[in-house]
């Protein structure tokens, strides 16, 4: 599997009137966007995520503030701090991910490749490890 979690830079238009970044279909992302959601008003110390998806791929942007995203492909764990709105973290399918350490007023925008489907979630870490192992030994 060569599809790794990675930071993707977005176009940025710096302007003294304020900056602008953009995401469009067939642009910087390796998938077509089916859904957008955002996470906000996170109380200090709370965590979000803590699951993997079988099929869904995501791109996470800190539209405001900052937070940490831990990604685990079953072999390696990596942590990314997202803090600017002109780049984001691409998270491939089959990745355990957890979001934590949200700053005050942090807003996490998530672009997703699939419509919402609870059956696509793997919510148990041990089950995820088995799933990742099976996928990798294919
Ligand atoms: P969930 O993905 O479980 O959030 P987290 O893993 O960060 O805790 O979603 C929280 C709630 O929001 C859950 O009741 C399902 C609902 N939800 C939708 O209805 N549609 C969506 O696209 C998402 C992401 C969540």
């Amino acid at each position: 599997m060569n599809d790794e979690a990675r930071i993707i830079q977005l176009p940025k238009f710096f302007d003294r009137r304020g900056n602008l970044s953009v995401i469009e279909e067939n642009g910087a992302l390796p998938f077509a966007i089916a859904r957008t959601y955002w996470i906000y008003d996170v109380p200090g110390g709370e965590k979000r995520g803590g699951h993997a998806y079988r099929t869904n791929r995501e791109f996470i942007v800190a539209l405001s503030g900052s937070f940490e995203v831990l990604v685990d492909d079953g072999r390696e764990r990596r942590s990314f701090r997202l803090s600017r709105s002109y780049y984001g973290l691409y998270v491939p399918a089959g990745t355990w991910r957890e979001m934590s350490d949200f700053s005050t007023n942090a807003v996490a925008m998530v672009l997703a490749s699939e419509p919402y489907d609870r059956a696509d979630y793997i919510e148990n870490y041990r089950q995820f490890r088995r799933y990742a192992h099976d996928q990798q030994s294919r």
Side-chain angles (χ1 to χ4, degrees):
M1 223 197 312
N2 204 12
D3 201 13
E4 287 220 319
R6 60 183 181 273
I7 295 292
I8 295 178
Q9 301 286 332
L10 300 170
K12 50 190 174 193
F13 297 91
F14 286 122
D15 193 311
R16 60 182 170 75
R17 299 170 300 158
N19 302 329
L20 183 154
S21 283
V22 57
I23 299 173
E24 38 179 0
E25 196 84 58
N26 303 318
L29 302 191
F31 60 84
I33 301 157
R35 175 169 55 109
T36 305
Y37 62 93
W38 45 99
I39 296 169
Y40 52 97
D41 292 347
V42 179
E46 283 293 345
K47 292 188 175 193
R48 300 296 312 230
H51 54 71
Y53 306 107
R54 292 177 176 83
T55 307
N56 190 43
R57 304 194 276 164
E58 289 189 333
F59 184 67
I60 306 173
V61 182
L63 279 190
S64 172
S66 66
F67 50 87
E68 202 81 17
V69 187
L70 172 115
V71 290
D72 177 340
D73 64 3
R75 281 193 279 220
E76 186 190 14
R77 297 196 134 203
R78 287 192 292 159
S79 207
F80 296 86
R81 183 147 201 103
L82 303 185
S83 61
R84 303 306 300 266
S85 49
Y86 54 78
Y87 66 84
L89 179 65
Y90 168 63
V91 183
T95 307
W96 186 266
R97 71 187 204 19
E98 291 174 19
M99 300 162 76
S100 64
D101 199 19
F102 287 82
S103 70
T104 308
N105 291 334
V107 180
M109 178 180 71
V110 186
L111 308 179
S113 68
E114 309 298 323
Y116 177 67
D117 174 12
R118 203 76 206 177
D120 192 45
Y121 281 57
I122 305 171
E123 314 221 30
N124 174 284
Y125 186 71
R126 285 168 63 95
Q127 191 190 339
F128 163 71
R129 288 296 296 247
R130 275 199 301 274
Y131 176 83
H133 182 264
D134 290 350
Q135 292 292 110
Q136 284 158 8
S137 57
R138 274 178 166 199

